[in-house]
Amino acid sequence: MHVLKLSIHATPGAKRTEAAGAHGDALRVRLGAPPVDGKANAALIKWAAAAFSLPKKQVELLHGAAGRQKVLALHFNDAAALSEAQTQVAGWMAAGEQGAE
């Protein structure tokens, strides 16, 4: 199993759930769910599973269940899928840097 640990800066209460560029060394993710009763965390896990074509059971919230700074562990079956995910994250981070204040 190949694991990607992904630092997330979550912004709950957005219109839709999406990657929104870099926030320091973390990937900013807007969450279309309020930060109550674990709804934002559930939205984050659902988004990550869809974005990386993984079953939800292969997306794990390691840290930050109660805060904006979170760490996800994404479990990939092979090195090629891990590499593809790292490239995808790098693209999101770079896209956000271009539009940063």
Side-chain angles (χ1 to χ4, degrees), residues 10-99:
T11 308
K15 289 185 180 180
R16 63 179 180 265
T17 300
E18 62 186 354
H23 183 87
D25 290 336
L27 176 65
R28 180 191 307 266
V29 179
R30 293 186 185 115
L31 300 172
V36 292
D37 300 329
K39 290 180 182 175
N41 290 334
L44 177 62
I45 289 169
K46 181 179 176 184
W47 168 82
F52 296 102
S53 301
L54 291 171
K56 282 197 265 186
K57 68 181 181 181
Q58 287 180 227
V59 179
E60 182 181 2
L61 180 61
L62 296 179
H63 302 289
R68 287 179 181 249
Q69 304 303 324
K70 302 178 184 295
V71 178
L72 290 180
L74 307 171
H75 299 272
F76 295 94
N77 294 325
D78 56 59
L82 173 61
S83 178
E84 189 176 307
Q86 289 168 326
T87 301
Q88 188 172 359
V89 170
W92 285 329
M93 296 285 279
E97 287 171 6
Q98 293 168 359

